[in-house]
Amino acid sequence: MIRVKVIGRKIERELEWRKGMRVKDVIREAGFNTESAVAKVNGKVALEDAPVSDNDFVEIIPVVSGG
């Protein structure tokens, strides 16, 4: 299982880990796309193609923009 927390929103959940899973897969399964959120895996900023392991903790940080 992967623990997922969305920063700034009261969303915490667990996702089933699958072999070959990447950060971008976790972001999508949490309801975001890679243009609207970044992620930290176990406390470190991770690129969207970085692998995710079973028992990782992923924090998703929605990007805020405006003008």
Side-chain angles (χ1 to χ4, degrees):
M1 296 301 267
I2 299 169
R3 285 189 323 125
V4 178
K5 179 178 183 177
V6 179
I7 304 299
R9 303 190 184 164
K10 295 182 187 230
I11 300 172
E12 288 192 46
R13 60 189 282 204
E14 290 188 341
L15 299 176
E16 187 72 34
W17 178 80
R18 297 180 311 276
K19 185 175 179 177
M21 199 170 206
R22 306 253 174 227
V23 168
K24 63 185 170 187
D25 301 320
V26 176
I27 291 173
R28 286 187 190 125
E29 287 190 36
F32 295 90
N33 62 51
T34 55
E35 288 83 34
S36 67
V38 295
K40 289 170 45 177
V41 177
N42 300 321
K44 295 184 180 184
V45 175
L47 298 175
E48 65 183 58
D49 285 326
V52 178
S53 299
D54 196 16
N55 296 316
D56 277 349
F57 175 56
V58 179
E59 296 171 279
I60 298 175
I61 305 148
V63 177
V64 177
S65 62

